[in-house]
Amino acid sequence: MSTPATSAPPTALTASQARIAALNRLKAKNKLTTVTPPGNNNNSSSNNNAGTSRNGAASQPYVHKAAAMPSSARNMVQQQAEKEGQQAPLRRDPGLGKYFEYDLSKLHNSRGGFLTEDDLEGDRIKSVIELAREKQREKKLMREGEEPAIVPDQSPRCRECGTLEINHQFMKVFDIRVCKSCEKKFPEKYSLLTKTECKEDYLLTDPELKDEDLLPHLLRPNPHASTYSNMMLFLREQVEKVAWEKWDGEEGLDAEWKRREEFKKRKREEKFEQGLRDLRKRTRNNLYQRKQEAEHVHQFEDVEEVMDGEGDRSVLQRCFGCGAEQQIEVL
């Protein structure tokens, strides 16, 4: 009988053969992963990734690309805003200190301050007619401030020299046709007086000065301070006319002025005399009080006891304030 043949034991692979076998195995797995859909061979893909990373044969499906991470939080916010199509917020400057950022587009007028008539009517859009009226009103104010054109046959002339170049401000306010040169040439007529000068020199009252029909006035800014009320300037010629009518001429005004000055002087003298009387009274009271305080009251104390030849006993007392002495007989 013949004995069965026994198989020879497998020989071990050399290092080069093992390397070639591993490469072939990886190539086969790579072909399988390209053919099969992703997700079914997760284990094989992970093994292939490991194999390619060890051997350096990197294929496109097994290359892992790390996502670009932002370097800081500010860059991350900027990248996120750019992705969403929004503008990135500006960086706050720490040198400005603490402050509050308000979005003015979202603020609402709560009408917590002073309300005008337009505000009470409500927020409404002005019509084209109202805008045209406002422009027309502004143009009218500009025309009133301008001097009219000079026409030789129609323009007014100066009442003193007859020139056409008159002071239109005097004409509008005081209805006086005079040029600027004549205004300076005749200050006794065309000089301007303040309200205080009219009251002190011409003895006019506040109601008379405030009556524009009686005495028109020109308003000028106060030279002392811009916050003070405007100055009221009056024309000397018109002020003198009203004063002569009130006090029956210049002589009557002078007599009234002297009477008031004497009255003021008499009042000042009476006030001075009253002050002197009060001073004398206070001085007299002070003298009496000082005299009362100056009176000395003796306060005696026993100094020594004296015995005379007859056997009578007496006590010598001395004031410790002024040094006066007295002797008292003891019974």
Side-chain angles (χ1 to χ4, degrees), residues 167-184:
N167 190 347
H168 293 278
Q169 191 177 25
F170 269 45
M171 185 176 177
K172 291 177 183 177
V173 178
F174 304 113
D175 197 15
I176 298 295
R177 301 177 181 180
V178 63
C179 62
K180 293 185 178 181
S181 59
C182 294
E183 177 189 348
K184 297 178 181 179

Side-chain angles (χ1 to χ4, degrees), residues 88-300:
L90 297 177
R91 184 182 180 185
R92 177 170 177 173
D93 188 3
L96 297 177
K98 296 182 179 179
Y99 62 92
F100 296 95
E101 296 180 359
Y102 294 100
D103 189 359
L104 300 180
S105 62
K106 297 181 181 178
L107 292 181
H108 176 66
N109 183 14
S110 60
R111 301 183 183 277
F114 296 97
L115 302 180
T116 60
E117 296 294 336
D118 297 337
D119 294 332
L120 296 177
E121 292 177 1
D123 295 333
R124 61 183 182 86
I125 302 175
K126 294 182 180 180
S127 62
V128 179
I129 300 175
E130 292 176 347
L131 294 175
R133 287 177 182 175
E134 289 183 359
K135 291 183 178 180
Q136 186 177 3
R137 194 180 303 114
E138 292 177 359
K139 290 181 180 180
K140 183 179 178 181
L141 293 176
M142 292 175 63
R143 285 197 301 270
E144 289 179 355
E146 297 177 354
E147 296 182 359
I150 296 177
V151 181
D153 298 335
Q154 300 177 3
S155 297
R157 295 180 178 271
C158 178
R159 59 191 295 187
E160 299 292 341
C161 62
T163 183
L164 294 172
E165 298 178 354
I166 63 173
N167 190 347
H168 293 278
Q169 191 177 25
F170 269 45
M171 185 176 177
K172 291 177 183 177
V173 178
F174 304 113
D175 197 15
I176 298 295
R177 301 177 181 180
V178 63
C179 62
K180 293 185 178 181
S181 59
C182 294
E183 177 189 348
K184 297 178 181 179
K185 187 177 179 180
F186 302 101
E188 67 276 3
K189 285 176 149 184
Y190 307 114
S191 61
L192 298 177
L193 301 175
T194 61
K195 185 178 178 180
T196 305
E197 291 174 345
C198 295
K199 293 171 68 175
E200 293 180 355
D201 298 343
Y202 294 94
L203 307 180
L204 299 178
T205 59
D206 285 332
E208 294 172 345
L209 296 174
K210 291 180 180 179
D211 189 358
E212 295 185 2
D213 297 332
L214 181 63
L215 286 173
H217 59 269
L218 179 65
L219 293 177
R220 290 281 177 83
N222 200 308
H224 300 287
S226 59
T227 55
Y228 293 174
S229 58
N230 294 330
M231 288 193 308
M232 299 172 62
L233 300 178
F234 302 88
L235 192 65
R236 183 182 291 273
E237 183 182 13
Q238 296 178 351
V239 172
E240 289 181 351
K241 181 180 178 182
V242 174
W244 299 164
E245 292 176 357
K246 180 179 181 179
W247 304 111
D248 296 332
E250 187 176 357
E251 293 78 9
L253 177 62
D254 293 339
E256 179 66 19
W257 186 82
K258 289 180 181 178
R259 186 187 68 81
R260 293 191 181 188
E261 288 296 322
E262 291 176 357
F263 179 75
K264 292 179 183 178
K265 183 179 179 181
R266 187 167 63 253
K267 283 293 184 181
R268 286 195 298 267
E269 291 178 353
E270 290 179 358
K271 186 177 181 180
F272 179 72
E273 292 295 334
Q274 182 66 30
L276 283 179
R277 286 194 292 270
D278 294 341
L279 180 60
R280 292 193 189 100
K281 189 182 294 184
R282 289 196 302 270
T283 305
R284 195 181 305 116
N285 293 337
N286 291 339
L287 288 174
Y288 178 77
Q289 186 176 0
R290 284 199 297 269
K291 188 182 294 183
Q292 291 291 332
E293 292 176 355
E295 290 183 358
H296 178 65
V297 179
H298 296 291
Q299 295 182 2
F300 294 99

